[in-house]
Structures are given as structure tokens and as C-alpha cells.
Amino acid sequence: MTKKQVEDTARTRLDPGTVVRAALELLDEKGADGLSIRGIADRLGVRMNTVLWHAKTKARLLELMADAILAEAQSEGLPEAWEPRVRELFHRYRRALLAHRDGARIVAGTYAAEPATLRFAELVVEALLTGGLGEREAVWTAWTLVYFTLGLAQEEQAQPDALGGAFARSLATGAYPSLSRAAAHFGETSFDERFDYGLSRILGT
């Protein structure tokens, strides 16, 4: 077979879903910084051009990956009442993000108008409208919930040493009295509790 025939055969046996699954597997192994078109191609045993045939660009691939992550936030068996429904949706959203290494970072870096992403947004906005919010307030509350969930999940996945020696030394100067007063609470790392607290504050419950 010629080189072109080999490439055409590889393109035929692959599809975007296969490429995305390989990309997510590579993400889980190496994280977002280790994700590359070459790495995905090597994993699939094809050339980079074959991957790009299905994904078009790396930016497009990231959108498809983000949507695949969101697809793991199942929509079945949700509570009937609007407030528990919103809470459960975002618990599932958070679990989907945390199920993949740097999953929150991948989703936060995209704006995917793809089926799973749009379906999740539809369910959230529908529930908020059912709860009596106006259209603008429902959309802005949905945004706030998404950004909060993404931000906290990124922090949890990154596990930064934000409270290292530099933080303590800065407080010791006396220049930040309010931070010093509340310093003990900055060390609380129960992400589950922080998540539920944030949901309650945003939803006003």
C-alpha cells in the first residue's frame, strides 16, 4: 500500500469519538500539560494528520473533550423540586470534572456549544426558571454556579501549596490584620464542605 492509502485506511477506521477517548486517556495519564496531537497520534498508532482529520485543530479537540467530560454528568433520576435538582446537577458536574485529571482545567478553557454541554445548561436554566427566577437571573445564576464549580475543582485538582511559608511570613508582618484573624480557616481543605457551602450561598438557601 502507498503512504496515502495507509493514511486513508487509518482515517476510515477512526472516528472523532475514538480520537476523543484516546485524548481523555492521555489526559488522565499525563495531565493537561502532557496533552498533544502527537501524543494522541502515537497512542492510536497513526500520523498526526490523521488525528487532525477528525479533530481539525487542538482547540476543537479540547471542545470535544470538554463535552465528553460533561456527558458523564448523567441527567437521569434527578429530584423533582427545583433547588435539590440544581444541587444534584452540580454535584454530578463536579464529579465529572474530578473524574479526569485536570478535567476542570480542560472544561474551563473552552466554550463548547456541544450537545452534552448544552443539555446540562438546559437542565440548569430550566430548573432555575421553575424556581421562579427571571430569564436574566436564571442565566446569571447558572453562570455563577458553573464558574464557582470550575474554580473550586481546579483548586482541588491542582492541590496548590497556597498556605506555605510565604503566606505565614506575610501575616507575621502585621500588615494584614483581617487575614491574620481568620488565618486558621484558610487551612480548611474540605472541598466537599466548601462546595456545599458555596452552592447554598449562591442559591440563597
Side-chain angles (χ1 to χ4, degrees):
M1 294 177 68
T2 66
K3 178 180 176 182
K4 182 177 184 304
Q5 287 173 324
V6 171
E7 290 180 359
D8 287 344
T9 299
R11 288 171 182 165
T12 300
R13 70 179 177 84
L14 288 180
D15 56 50
T18 302
V19 172
V20 170
R21 284 191 294 275
L24 289 174
E25 290 172 0
L26 185 61
L27 176 71
D28 289 338
E29 288 181 10
K30 297 189 174 182
D33 291 334
L35 185 67
S36 67
I37 298 296
R38 181 180 297 279
I40 296 166
D42 290 345
R43 188 175 195 87
L44 291 169
V46 299
R47 296 168 60 88
M48 291 174 60
N49 284 345
T50 302
V51 173
L52 290 172
W53 175 267
H54 294 285
K56 308 309 178 187
T57 64
K58 185 175 181 180
R60 176 59 180 155
L61 175 61
L62 291 174
E63 289 180 347
L64 294 174
M65 290 174 66
D67 197 59
I69 291 171
L70 261 293
E72 296 175 17
Q74 299 296 320
S75 59
E76 294 80 12
L78 290 167
E80 289 295 328
W82 76 271
E83 192 267 345
R85 177 176 284 248
V86 173
R87 282 181 174 273
E88 179 59 23
L89 280 167
F90 277 93
H91 273 285
R92 295 182 186 187
Y93 182 62
R94 177 174 174 246
R95 286 196 296 269
L97 298 174
L98 296 177
H100 294 279
R101 182 177 175 182
D102 291 334
R105 182 173 163 189
I106 295 296
V107 174
T110 63
Y111 191 79
E114 298 297 320
T117 303
L118 294 175
R119 183 167 59 250
F120 180 83
E122 167 70 17
L123 290 170
V124 172
V125 172
E126 177 189 40
L128 292 170
L129 290 172
T130 300
L133 275 65
E135 289 88 350
R136 181 175 183 268
E137 189 177 5
V139 170
W140 284 31
T141 300
W143 276 340
T144 303
L145 288 163
V146 166
Y147 298 150
F148 164 68
T149 306
L150 284 171
L152 190 63
Q154 285 188 82
E155 180 185 342
E156 184 172 358
Q157 291 185 312
Q159 291 291 332
D161 184 19
L163 301 180
F167 182 74
R169 288 192 296 273
S170 296
L171 295 188
T173 66
Y176 309 100
S178 296
L179 293 182
S180 296
R181 177 180 171 183
H185 301 289
F186 282 97
E188 295 175 353
T189 55
S190 174
F191 288 99
D192 291 342
E193 289 183 48
R194 290 167 61 187
F195 182 64
D196 282 324
Y197 176 82
L199 289 182
S200 295
R201 296 292 290 182
I202 294 168
L203 293 173
T205 58

